Structure formats: structure tokens, C-alpha cells
Amino acid sequence: MAPASLRNRRFSWLVQASFVAVVVLVAWFLIDSTRKNLEVQGVTLGFDFLFRSTGWNINYSLIPYSPTDPYWKVLVIGLMNTLWLGFISLVTATILGVLIAVARTVNNRVLRIIGLFYVESVRSVPVLLQLFFWFAVYSNLPGPRQAISYGDMVFVSGRGVFVPGLNVSAASGALALAAALVTLGVLLWVGQARRFRRMEPWPKRGLLLGILLLGAAVAAAVLGLGRVPGTDLVSIPARRGLNFVGGVTIGLEIVTMITAITVYGAAYISEIVRAGLVAVGKGQIEAARALGLGGWHVFTRIHMPLAIRAMLPSLTNQYVWLMKATTLGIAIGFTDFFMVVAVSITQSGHTIELIAILMAGFLLINYTLARVFNWINRMIALPGSRVSS
Amino acid sequence: MSRRTGLSRHLTLTNFLNAVISAAGLFFLAWVAWRLISWGVLGAVWSSPSGAEGCRGTEGACWAVIESRWRLILFGLYPYEEQWRSILACAVVVVVTVLSCIPAFWTGRRLAALWLVGAGLYYILMRGGVFGLSVVPEARWGGLALTLFIFVSTILIGMPMAIGLALLRRSSMRPLAAAAALVIDSVRSLPLLSILFTAAVVIPFVLPAGMSGDKLYRVIIGFALFFAAYQAEVVRSGMQTVQRGQEEAALALGLGYWQRMTRILMPQAFRYALPPTISQIVIAFKETSLVVIVGFFELMASANAAYGTGEWRFAYVEVYVFVAAIYFVFVFSLSRYGAFLERTMRVGKI
């Protein structure tokens, strides 16, 4: 009889081989039955439908869209809406979350109690219920005729929020936004990167100011070139009849989505930030104080940088959650990626292909997000040191 | 003096600023409390025999909507005369949940027995067809009872799946570990809604006719898969916390794989994994509300229906507050229990 280790190895090979065989068999079985089901229904697999026109309209789009546009365009719009909503909610939820975390950690009992109430009550109610609640609240605001006015510039109504906007073409607006983001990136790079660390403070400050002015000038020039001829540069919403003209209308659906995701996400983010602040070792802070740093400097130079390193992995998970939470838009009719796919399925009948696109889209978004944050995590990691020591 | 954690270690507010913030905060809290009390208690209409008319012109809450619609919210479309069965079924779930919080039940066999008996009792009570109970098909289940059913089935199916996936992922057999990792990671990066949607809509395309079963059970399997993918990572991190020496010692004693897993590794891993497991269970409970989107009449959907019909249209805040309170009771008590466990375990009492 073979020795025990050899017997184990044989057994292990047997298990692995049969596992692979079962997987192949099940996959073949599923593919075969799918093919038969589709044959019965008279549907042919394939992505040709992406180039057919949709014939239905959507209520929120960042780029011009008409029902004669093809399916691939509506899917791209859905993806853009998801990313746009995710980006805004990520920023607002982080800001609110940090504020609450600070309220929960300063030495003021009343602030701590307010923070505690917020976190415990928001986290104990499903986000979908909160979404429905906010949607009901917003839809029951007065109609455009009795809209609540803030200085005759911003109007809030049950049909959406009307804010002043610029009379410029969409493309130049996007270009100006891109210019602003690039400027911000360059500023951060020059300000933080090791390459510029040995520069004298004054020329460095001058350089930063120059970059800022250049970026602002480029953005202004792009906006100026894209002006819609024959109109004022700034357009302010004004009541006309039953609705508003001019300005920018922010739809009820996206406002509701941002509110619900921000309120709910902030409760979780605040817990992560709080844990990060608490995790920083006592020795680090005592050492900083021993060096004679004041409270503010200890916080901005020692405590926060170390805390960010401690909280980044959990924050990444929370941001991935936030991206996935945009799919709740279908509950109130916000045309995010998921809703666009769901409507496309009922309209075109290409279920399998569209589900594959949906999954590929989310895998791509979340994988990219995780990679970006892991990269940041690696970049800021302190070699050879632990956060809490 | 409170424990000096977080910012209070160095960002101490000065006495004057502190007093100002405290006063403003207290004022804010008092204002919120007063608004809530005057709206929800003092100015509220508790009962209105004349329906929605009784609430016309009041400033406060119109709790009369709950009085007239509570059966719809709690039981959905369950037959009126049989709703006592629905209450009993909910009570069974609550009792089972409370019992499984007691350490005396914390062995795999006892927990499994408890939950299987609970689920069986629930099913018999709700479905009927035996002991002279009339048959109520799943399509008529609704409200809180359906929410609890989805929740319990998710945990019951998802937990063994999670343990299986976790064991597979750390297996030394490469294809098995790779398959488990693929399943876990891809499910975790997909939104739950897309999985529920796939279960409800796509599975009938993939399986041969007649094999795909009832939509409710497909959605529950989808839920369980999602729960299992997250829970598997929780279990796996619990396993990694167990010292290597434990498994090596078991190996040296000549214990086989199953004995090592069930007698040595799992009991210790679950002890470490208990607090995050409870928070996963809490999340699963909250996420049952998503089935409203794939067309089931559970608690969330019945809340929408309760104010959505004509006369009560104005009373949406009251309905949502009532349903939120139901969710709150379940979620908050579970998460408090989780926090309690975490504290006692840190002291080493369990």
C-alpha cells in the first residue's frame, strides 16, 4: 500500500479533477439550456442591437439625447450618470462624515451626543426607506408657482431645484471643468511631491500662484469661447407661467439620490474616520508635543496624516459601497447605469447581453476605484513604520 | 474626566468656546425635541373614525393612518382572518433570534437545530395545509412577515455557503481555491440589486423550463449568495486570526481535515469573527428592503402602498416614521448586542 502522503496526493488530484469536470459539465448544461430557451423565444444572441435606436426617452442626461439615439449611447449616458452621482455623493458624504467624526471626538459632550444620535439613528434604518422618505418630502414641496426662493436666484420646488447657470455650450463647460481638475492635480503635485520639496518657500509659492492663475485663465477663456451668442453670460432662473426659464434645473431624482446617499454614507464614513483618529498611537502625539508643536500643528502635521493612513483601506470599501448604492436610483426613477440596463432589457429583450454589460460595467468601476485607492495607499505608506506605535 | 481619545487629546476647546458650543448644541437638541414632541405627541391625531377627513387642518402628526393601515403594513395581502398566524410566525422568528444570542446555544449543532426548527415552524404557520390550517400561497405573504422570512432564509442558506466558500478559498487545491476566490470577489464587487435582478429575471432564461422554481426562492438564493460572499471573508479573516500553532498542533496529533476544521479551527475562528458576523447580519436585515424593487410586497413595499392610495396621500411622513421605527427596533437591538459582545470579548469573558 502506498504511503499516506502519496494517498493524500492521489485523493487530492481526484477531487480537483472531478471538480473541474463538474464545473465544465454545469457550464455546458447552462449554455445549452440557454440556447434552447432563446430558440423557443425566437431571440438571437448578439450585440447588434446596441446600434439600433432606442425609441424611449430618459429624464436625466449630461449630454444631449433623443429617442432616436442608439442603445450604446443610452448605456454610456447611464454610466456617466452613475459616475457623476457617485462622484458628487462621495465628496459630500466625506465632508459630512468628517464633520460628524470631529463632533464625536472633540471634548464637548453635547457635540458628542449630537453625533451619536445622528450615527445611531441613520444607520438603523435601511437606506432605501430613507430614499423613499426624501423623495416623498421633496415631491411634496410646493410647485414651481409657489417655489421657495432664496434671494430670487435659487428656487426650490417639488419639480426640482433651479439655480443660476452660465450660457455656454456643454462642451466648453466640460473642458473648463477638466481644466480646473488638471490645475488642482498639478497644484497638489507641486505642493506635495518629493521633487519640489527642496525648493525655497518663496519661489515655490510664486510657482503655485502662477499655476493657479494660468488654470483660471484657461478655464475662463474656454468658457468665453463657448458662449451661446446673443445671451447674457449668466442666466438666472425666472418664473414664467407654470415653470421656470433660464438657469440650470437640477432634477428631483438626483437631488434625492445625493441626499439619501450622503446622509447614510456619512454615518458610516464618520465611524471610519473616528476609528482612524483614535487608532493613532499615543506615543506619536506625545512625541509631537514634546517637540513643542501646538495643538493645531499636532493635528494637521502628525495626527491627521497618520489617521488617514489608518482609515484608507476601510474608506476604500465604503466608497465601493457608495458606487454600488447608486443603483438604488431605479426605485425613484433616476436614470443611472442599472436603470438604463433594466429598461433596455424590457424594451429590447436582450437580457443576457445586457446583464453581461451591467456586470462588466460595475466590475470595471469598482476595480478601478479599488486600484486607485490602493495606489494612493501605497504612495502614502510610511516605509518601515506602523501607524499605531 | 472622559477618556481622552481622538481629537480631545490635543484639540481641547477653550472653556469659553466650549461653553458657547455646549449652549448652542443644547438649544438645538431642545428645539429638535420640542418640535418632535409637539408634532408627534401633542398636536397629533391618534384616531379618526371618519378616515383621512379627521386629519384635515391639524399641524401635528396624523397617526390615524397607522390605525387604519397597520394590518396592511404588517401583513400585506395575507388573508384577514388568518393574520394571527402571521403574528405567531413573526414571534417565532424573534424568539429564535433572541435564543441564538444566548451563549448556551453557541455550538454549530444547536444553532443549526434551533434555526431549522424555527424556519420549519414559520413555514408551517405561514403556508398552512397541515393541522387544519388553510393553505396560503407565498404570493399572498407580505409585510413584516415576508421581510422576516427573506431575512431568516438568507441567513440559513447563506451561513453554510459562507463557511464552505471560506474553507474552499484557503484550500491547498488550486482550482478550488481559485473558483471560490472568483465567486467571492466578483459577487462582492457587484451591486446587490443586479444580483437580485439576475435571480428574478435572468435565471429563467438560463435554466431549462420548469427548473427555475418560484421567483421568491430565486431571489432568496440571490440574497444568500450575496450574504455568503461577504460573510466568507469575515470567516476567513477569523481563521487567519487563529494562531498557526493551533492547526499545526492538531496536525501533529494526527487529526484529519474535518476534525481539524470542526473541532479546532472553526470554533476559535467564529469566536474572533463574531462581532463582524453580527454586523453582516444587521446589514442583511436592512437589505431585505431591496426586494421591493424586484416586485415583492414586503415591509417597505407595504409602507409605500399604505399612503399611496388616494385619501392618505398627505400622511407619508407618519407611515415612513412608523416603518422606520419597526426596522430601528430590530436593527438597533442587534447592533447593540454586537457592540456588547465586542466589549465583553475584549475583556476575555467569552
Side-chain angles (χ1 to χ4, degrees):
Chain A
M1 195 169 154
S5 65
L6 194 59
R7 246 187 302 144
N8 274 344
R9 212 176 302 158
R10 270 188 207 149
F11 175 70
S12 154
W13 272 110
L14 195 69
V15 170
Q16 293 181 40
S18 47
F19 173 76
V20 172
V22 167
V23 167
V24 170
L25 270 177
V26 168
W28 179 80
F29 170 75
L30 290 180
I31 291 171
D32 184 59
S33 75
T34 308
R35 206 172 43 78
K36 278 183 190 142
N37 282 342
L38 291 177
E39 243 166 48
V40 169
Q41 301 204 347
V43 184
T44 45
L45 276 178
F47 288 93
D48 295 341
F49 75 97
L50 286 177
F51 302 98
R52 287 210 310 266
S53 68
T54 56
W56 37 274
N57 215 338
I58 53 177
N59 65 9
Y60 186 87
S61 171
L62 294 169
I63 55 175
Y65 170 80
S66 78
T68 54
D69 282 333
Y71 271 96
W72 65 263
K73 192 169 173 189
V74 88
L75 290 171
V76 169
I77 289 173
L79 197 57
M80 280 170 69
N81 287 349
T82 287
L83 291 173
W84 176 234
L85 171 66
F87 173 72
I88 299 178
S89 315
L90 194 145
V91 173
T92 49
T94 307
I95 294 172
L96 187 61
V98 169
L99 285 179
I100 292 159
V102 168
R104 289 200 66 185
T105 43
V106 293
N107 65 332
N108 183 304
R109 191 158 292 178
V110 180
L111 281 184
R112 285 211 302 266
I113 289 174
I114 292 176
L116 181 76
F117 266 119
Y118 178 87
V119 171
E120 291 300 341
S121 53
V122 166
R123 286 202 310 179
S124 299
V125 177
V127 61
L128 187 64
L129 198 156
Q130 298 185 28
L131 185 73
F132 279 129
F133 173 78
W134 291 117
F135 192 58
V137 168
Y138 287 150
S139 330
N140 280 283
L141 285 172
R145 211 185 272 229
Q146 294 91 24
I148 307 158
S149 154
Y150 294 97
D152 273 343
M153 300 279 274
V154 178
F155 298 89
V156 178
S157 80
R159 284 267 193 89
V161 182
F162 305 93
V163 295
L166 294 172
N167 271 327
V168 294
S169 67
S172 71
L175 275 178
L177 192 70
L181 285 178
V182 168
T183 312
L184 192 72
V186 174
L187 281 178
L188 276 176
W189 180 58
V190 173
Q192 298 295 327
R194 220 158 265 152
R195 180 173 303 188
F196 299 94
R197 187 156 288 171
R198 296 171 77 179
M199 238 171 137
E200 294 293 321
W202 157 238
K204 192 172 179 181
R205 231 169 263 170
L207 182 64
L208 289 176
L209 192 67
I211 294 169
L212 186 66
L213 286 178
L214 184 70
V218 169
V222 169
L223 284 178
L225 283 177
R227 263 185 74 169
V228 180
T231 54
D232 293 333
L233 180 59
V234 181
S235 116
I236 293 170
R239 273 193 198 105
R240 180 141 333 143
L242 284 172
N243 216 331
F244 280 82
V245 290
V248 177
T249 309
I250 307 173
L252 207 59
E253 290 85 10
I254 192 166
V255 176
T256 311
M257 288 303 293
I258 293 172
T259 312
I261 296 180
T262 302
V263 167
Y264 191 78
Y268 281 90
I269 289 176
S270 80
E271 285 295 280
I272 294 168
V273 173
R274 191 170 74 106
L277 288 173
V278 174
V280 175
K282 217 162 63 175
Q284 302 276 1
I285 290 170
E286 282 166 0
R289 306 196 109 185
L291 285 172
L293 294 183
W296 180 248
H297 275 122
V298 175
F299 179 61
T300 54
R301 299 297 162 93
I302 309 292
H303 198 165
M304 205 58 192
L306 287 172
I308 286 177
R309 289 168 170 87
M311 63 180 98
L312 210 57
S314 328
L315 265 188
T316 309
N317 282 339
Q318 196 55 39
Y319 289 155
V320 168
W321 172 86
L322 203 144
M323 274 302 183
K324 293 196 280 182
T326 58
T327 52
L328 294 178
I330 195 172
I332 59 165
F334 176 71
T335 38
D336 70 320
F337 190 43
F338 181 68
M339 177 160 173
V340 165
V341 169
V343 177
S344 299
I345 286 176
T346 49
Q347 295 288 332
S348 74
H350 287 273
T351 315
I352 310 277
E353 300 91 323
L354 282 161
I355 283 289
I357 290 175
L358 174 76
M359 300 206 163
F362 268 99
L363 285 177
L364 189 71
I365 294 175
N366 287 334
Y367 185 71
T368 316
L369 197 68
R371 279 301 285 267
V372 166
F373 273 90
N374 287 342
W375 177 74
I376 296 176
N377 201 10
R378 264 203 319 281
M379 290 301 281
I380 65 172
L382 300 171
S385 87
R386 283 173 304 145
V387 170
S388 53
S389 57
Chain B
M1 195 67 210
S2 62
R3 260 186 321 129
R4 306 200 104 203
T5 53
L7 291 181
S8 60
R9 279 179 285 179
H10 49 82
L11 214 66
T12 38
L13 303 171
T14 57
N15 281 339
F16 175 69
L17 190 62
N18 218 339
V20 170
I21 292 177
S22 297
L26 276 179
F27 181 76
F28 173 73
L29 279 182
W31 179 76
V32 169
W34 167 246
R35 283 297 300 268
L36 281 180
I37 290 170
S38 67
W39 174 79
V41 181
L42 300 180
V45 177
W46 293 95
S47 149
S48 156
S50 60
E53 277 308 304
C55 288
R56 286 267 175 267
T58 52
E59 286 291 302
C62 177
W63 297 119
V65 63
I66 308 298
E67 186 199 22
S68 98
R69 291 299 167 93
W70 67 274
R71 279 175 180 269
L72 178 71
I73 294 175
L74 291 186
F75 311 122
L77 302 173
Y78 207 78
Y80 190 87
E81 319 75 54
E82 307 286 341
Q83 283 174 359
W84 59 272
R85 282 161 53 185
S86 199
I87 298 183
L88 272 184
C90 291
V92 166
V93 173
V94 172
V95 168
V96 165
T97 313
V98 170
L99 282 182
S100 44
C101 289
I102 301 171
F105 281 93
W106 287 354
T107 61
R109 213 168 283 171
R110 280 185 203 169
L111 273 182
L114 180 67
W115 280 75
L116 282 175
V117 167
L121 259 178
Y122 178 98
Y123 189 78
I124 291 170
L125 275 169
M126 288 296 283
R127 180 77 211 263
V130 281
F131 309 126
L133 296 171
S134 60
V135 176
V136 182
E138 280 91 337
R140 300 203 61 180
W141 298 6
L144 181 62
L146 183 60
T147 292
L148 289 176
F149 179 68
I150 296 171
F151 167 65
V152 170
S153 330
T154 300
I155 306 296
L156 215 55
I157 303 170
M159 197 58 96
M161 266 166 93
I163 296 172
L165 280 173
L167 284 177
L168 280 182
R169 191 167 188 173
R170 68 190 291 285
S171 157
S172 58
M173 305 183 200
R174 292 297 271 286
L176 273 72
L182 183 73
V183 169
I184 292 174
D185 289 339
S186 41
V187 168
R188 273 159 55 96
S189 59
L190 289 173
L192 174 56
L193 255 186
S194 74
I195 290 170
L196 296 185
F197 195 76
T198 308
V201 179
V202 184
I203 294 298
F205 280 96
V206 176
L207 287 177
M211 239 185 86
S212 46
D214 191 67
K215 186 172 151 195
L216 176 63
Y217 294 104
R218 289 204 303 273
V219 166
I220 287 176
I221 299 285
F223 256 118
L225 180 67
F226 193 75
F227 173 78
Y230 279 84
Q231 180 60 25
E233 290 295 274
V234 169
V235 173
R236 194 166 69 103
S237 70
M239 287 179 186
Q240 281 175 354
T241 321
V242 177
Q243 285 175 2
R244 274 196 87 78
Q246 294 284 333
E247 217 187 332
E248 284 164 0
L251 206 57
L253 284 173
L255 296 184
Y257 178 79
W258 290 113
Q259 280 176 318
R260 283 202 311 276
M261 291 303 130
T262 55
R263 298 294 159 102
I264 308 294
L265 192 64
M266 276 298 166
Q268 298 186 67
F270 259 96
R271 189 182 161 281
Y272 292 119
L274 203 52
T277 298
I278 289 180
S279 74
Q280 280 304 323
I281 289 176
V282 167
I283 290 173
F285 185 79
K286 284 193 284 183
E287 278 171 344
T288 55
S289 59
L290 289 182
V291 295
V292 59
I293 294 173
V294 284
F296 288 102
F297 205 80
E298 46 67 78
L299 190 53
M300 189 66 245
S302 53
N304 284 340
Y307 81 88
T309 49
E311 57 167 349
W312 294 108
R313 205 154 250 300
F314 63 93
Y316 57 93
V317 177
E318 288 84 346
V319 171
Y320 282 137
V321 166
F322 179 69
V323 176
I326 296 177
Y327 276 112
F328 184 87
V329 168
F330 281 94
V331 172
F332 189 70
S333 40
L334 263 178
S335 66
R336 281 298 88 198
Y337 174 69
F340 160 76
L341 271 186
E342 207 164 346
R343 268 201 312 281
T344 42
M345 277 173 56
R346 205 178 299 148
V347 189
K349 281 222 176 111
I350 300 177

